Amino acid sequence: MTQLNPNDKIQPHWWSKTLVAIVMGLTLSYGIVAIFAWFGPGGISAPMKVQLNMWLISAIWLPILAFIYLFKSTKSAFISMALINTLIYLIFSGLWWIQ
């Protein structure tokens, strides 16, 4: 069995990874739920959709909080989450302009 060098290991920067997951994960959850809320079935004014949207945020955010520790470093976690957030908000903006 070979020994992994330090660059190949997952770095245990759990404080900074948690901060990235809390901030960037929440904005990602808001973006995904915004797409569903505005462009999902019934649109924004569908009955009972407000309650569903509220619970969807935590259902999306918690797996992000759990899986953020699988990134090798805080830098890679932050860059990945920033790119995913940018993509989600670009999709939301594009759908908004098409509508």
Side-chain angles (χ1 to χ4, degrees):
M1 190 166 168
T2 62
Q3 188 76 14
L4 292 174
N5 57 1
N7 292 335
D8 293 336
K9 293 181 181 178
I10 295 176
Q11 301 298 318
H13 303 137
W14 64 275
W15 276 107
S16 52
K17 287 180 184 179
T18 302
L19 184 63
V20 168
I22 288 172
V23 175
M24 302 294 277
L26 184 61
T27 58
L28 179 62
S29 299
Y30 283 160
I32 293 170
V33 170
I35 291 172
F36 173 74
W38 284 93
F39 306 109
I44 193 69
S45 61
M48 303 298 288
K49 199 168 185 183
V50 174
Q51 190 74 17
L52 176 65
N53 293 337
M54 181 184 70
W55 287 103
L56 273 177
I57 291 171
S58 60
I60 295 169
W61 191 21
L62 287 176
I64 294 170
L65 283 168
F67 289 115
I68 198 76
Y69 302 106
L70 296 178
F71 285 99
K72 287 190 178 194
S73 66
T74 303
K75 182 179 176 183
S76 65
F78 181 79
I79 291 171
S80 298
M81 292 297 287
L83 288 174
I84 295 169
N85 269 304
T86 303
L87 178 67
I88 289 295
Y89 282 100
L90 283 174
I91 290 171
F92 179 74
S93 299
L95 289 172
W96 184 265
W97 282 103
I98 290 171
Q99 182 189 13

